[in-house]
Amino acid sequence: PRWTLLALVLQLATAVATTFGLLSTVDVFTNLLAAGPTPQRVVDALPALAVVVGALVARGALQAASGSVQARLLPRIEERAQDELYTGLADVELAAFDDADFTTLVQRAEQALIHLRFGASLVGDLAAAAVSMGAAVVTAGLLHPVLAPLVLLAALPQGWAGVRGAQLRMAANVRISATLRRRFVTGDLMSDRQNAAELRAFTARDVVLGAARIL
């Protein structure tokens, strides 16, 4: 929980630095280009430009710190999930392991542990994207109230496409998981020496090949 809270604080701090940097940039260039850039105006804008550079440096440092925190957080998430999974399996009655559906569920859970790190990383990326979007909306709203809803409207189609795409990928992963499991079993029956004799003795060639070819 402490690392998660720290990651959240860093994301919010990054949003503040991003918003401040955007506002400073707009303010600098608005004043600099309003009546045409002259050498004197450029010299006068140097302190403001230094503020912009400082905001960008702070944003980069906060993003680096956030990445470091995520690097420490993700292994802990994976370790906690693995411990909960195997603790639960240790308490399951022995007869449950004779149930094919239960065995498939356990194998899916073990495969999910491998992908959990990537899922947690994607959540971090989603939080960063939400922070950046919020910073853009706040900056646009401060420049002109009408700009804030326009920025949101421009981002809605992309957001919907991202969510819908994630849902479709998840549904595809469930189907692919069952297919890969079946192909693993049938491939083992076809290629393992211990199964070769029984496969031929029971003339199960066509049955196994048929199961392997089902998409």
Side-chain angles (χ1 to χ4, degrees):
R2 291 191 299 271
W3 287 104
T4 303
L5 180 61
L6 180 58
L8 177 61
V9 170
L10 288 173
Q11 292 285 3
L12 293 176
T14 302
V16 173
T18 301
T19 304
F20 184 74
L22 290 173
L23 288 173
S24 300
T25 302
V26 171
D27 184 60
V28 167
F29 284 102
T30 298
N31 294 329
L32 186 62
L33 302 176
T38 64
Q40 184 59 41
R41 287 195 180 95
V42 172
V43 173
D44 294 339
L46 288 178
L49 288 172
V51 173
V52 173
V53 172
L56 294 176
V57 171
R59 179 174 177 267
L62 289 169
Q63 286 180 332
S66 178
S68 177
V69 169
Q70 284 195 23
R72 293 176 178 270
L73 177 62
L74 299 185
R76 285 171 168 79
I77 293 175
E78 186 177 0
E79 181 181 357
R80 177 68 64 84
Q82 181 177 353
D83 180 71
E84 291 183 1
L85 172 63
Y86 292 134
T87 300
L89 288 176
D91 297 332
V92 173
E93 296 181 359
L94 181 61
F97 289 90
D98 296 326
D99 185 350
D101 291 336
F102 176 77
T103 303
T104 301
L105 181 62
V106 171
Q107 290 166 346
R108 284 182 179 177
E110 289 182 320
Q111 293 173 0
L113 289 177
I114 301 174
H115 298 287
L116 187 62
R117 176 187 296 268
F118 303 103
S121 178
L122 288 175
V123 170
D125 293 341
L126 177 61
V131 165
S132 300
M133 185 64 199
V137 171
V138 170
T139 303
L142 291 176
L143 293 174
H144 195 284
V146 178
L147 293 177
L150 290 178
V151 171
L152 285 176
L153 287 175
L156 281 178
Q158 185 176 1
W160 178 87
V163 172
R164 184 56 182 163
Q167 292 174 341
L168 293 175
R169 286 194 298 272
M170 180 61 68
N173 285 336
V174 173
R175 294 193 301 269
I176 292 173
S177 175
T179 302
L180 291 178
R181 173 60 186 163
R182 185 174 61 254
R183 289 183 175 179
F184 173 79
V185 173
T186 54
D188 184 64
L189 290 174
M190 295 292 295
S191 61
D192 191 81
R193 174 64 181 85
Q194 293 179 342
N195 300 322
E198 292 185 0
L199 186 71
R200 287 157 177 77
F202 290 103
T203 62
R205 172 184 178 278
D206 294 338
V207 175
V208 176
L209 284 175
R213 290 167 179 165
I214 297 176
L215 297 178

